[in-house]
Amino acid sequence: TTKIICLVFGVDRGKITTKMILIDHEAATASFTVGCTVILQNLVGGAQYNGKRAVVNSPKSSAGRQQVRIIDDDKVIAVKPVNLRYEPREVSSLTADEMRRVLICSWKKTESQVEGVDTNSLAAMVSKYFSCPAELATILAIIKRQQQQEAIRFGAVNILMDETDEYLADLMSNLKTSPNLRRLYVGPHSESCTNEEMDYIITRQFYYARHPGEILCISGDRMDPQR
């Protein structure tokens, strides 16, 4: 079974700590990362959507389903994770930044070893270690989820936690109409965010600002308590 690097969070003497673990593909796809592109598969009731590309709109609900937006039809449906798979990614489709992240987060290279390296050389490095497009897609989804977790923590702890309910209500209203303000609250990760992903991160920031005791539970499926 393919093993994939994953970052998990914990607490040591009151401080947030991180460690890397290996997980198999089945565990990595128990729920799909918001904002990622997926392929619909094995649907019975909606068989016409099998093979269609979609973007994940929401985390897994208490009913065990995730909302996805079908790209061609701009239609949102709720499906089980078993009916999804990440859209495979060839090395040639990756940006230089994505290749650097894959190499660093999989512990193949350090930041200093990939800094300033040209795109062709990065592609050769990635191809040396990863030949399966499905594996690459899953690794990139895990990296995206890590970035989301960091953005949610940052916004909830450093921006929103001390604000009043009235302020948060006004801010949420403004965020819905101001793309620049949305990107400010999502942070550096916003440059690669889809609209669905930014909506998700901001919603979670607001939730954890009012439920700070749950911030340390942000990891994997536990990242998204359903209310």
Side-chain angles (χ1 to χ4, degrees):
T1 303
T2 300
K3 295 290 183 180
I4 300 166
I5 296 291
C6 183
L7 185 68
V8 295
F9 296 88
V11 185
D12 181 22
R13 299 175 186 177
K15 295 183 178 180
I16 297 177
T17 61
T18 61
K19 66 177 180 179
M20 302 298 289
I21 62 171
L22 287 173
I23 61 174
D24 59 34
H25 183 269
E26 183 178 355
T29 55
S31 67
F32 285 74
T33 303
V34 174
C36 280
T37 302
V38 292
I39 306 295
L40 292 158
Q41 62 181 7
N42 302 324
L43 290 166
V44 177
Q48 70 271 25
Y49 299 124
N50 286 331
K52 294 271 192 179
R53 298 170 67 242
V55 176
V56 180
N57 272 16
S58 73
K60 187 165 64 176
S61 70
S62 57
R65 295 176 180 270
Q66 292 187 258
Q67 289 189 351
V68 300
R69 176 177 56 82
I70 300 171
I71 295 173
D72 289 344
D73 301 340
D74 199 28
K75 178 181 176 66
V76 176
I77 61 174
V79 298
K80 295 178 180 179
V82 71
N83 295 120
L84 302 173
R85 61 184 172 88
Y86 287 117
E87 181 180 45
R89 296 290 303 275
E90 299 286 348
V91 174
S92 59
S93 75
L94 271 58
T95 65
D97 183 60
E98 286 176 325
M99 288 189 278
R100 290 189 184 95
R101 291 181 185 279
V102 165
L103 291 165
I104 293 169
C105 291
S106 62
W107 288 4
K108 303 301 183 185
K109 299 291 180 180
T110 63
E111 289 189 34
S112 61
Q113 289 175 319
V114 297
E115 184 178 358
V117 176
D118 65 88
T119 302
N120 290 336
S121 298
L122 288 170
M125 292 180 191
V126 174
S127 298
K128 176 182 178 181
Y129 298 110
F130 304 102
S131 59
C132 176
E135 181 183 22
L136 265 180
T138 305
I139 292 171
L140 287 165
I142 291 172
I143 292 170
K144 183 184 284 289
R145 187 173 300 191
Q146 293 168 9
Q147 293 172 324
Q148 291 172 359
Q149 292 169 355
E150 292 166 5
I152 290 168
R153 282 192 184 84
F154 176 81
V157 175
N158 298 319
I159 300 176
L160 303 174
M161 194 171 288
D162 294 329
E163 303 294 351
T164 64
D165 290 342
E166 291 77 13
Y167 175 87
L168 292 180
D170 288 341
L171 177 60
M172 178 61 85
S173 177
N174 290 330
L175 285 170
K176 291 179 180 179
T177 58
S178 173
N180 290 334
L181 189 59
R182 284 154 60 86
R183 293 192 180 280
L184 172 66
Y185 274 81
V186 171
H189 176 47
S190 68
E191 294 181 6
S192 60
C193 274
T194 62
N195 287 330
E196 291 89 352
E197 195 177 350
M198 282 199 289
D199 288 342
Y200 162 70
I201 289 172
I202 290 169
T203 300
R204 292 294 87 196
Q205 285 178 342
F206 276 60
Y207 175 83
Y208 286 110
R210 285 296 172 260
H211 301 83
E214 297 183 30
I215 289 177
L216 295 179
C217 296
I218 304 178
S219 178
D221 288 340
R222 294 189 65 189
M223 186 174 174
D224 302 288
Q226 300 297 318
R227 292 291 183 268

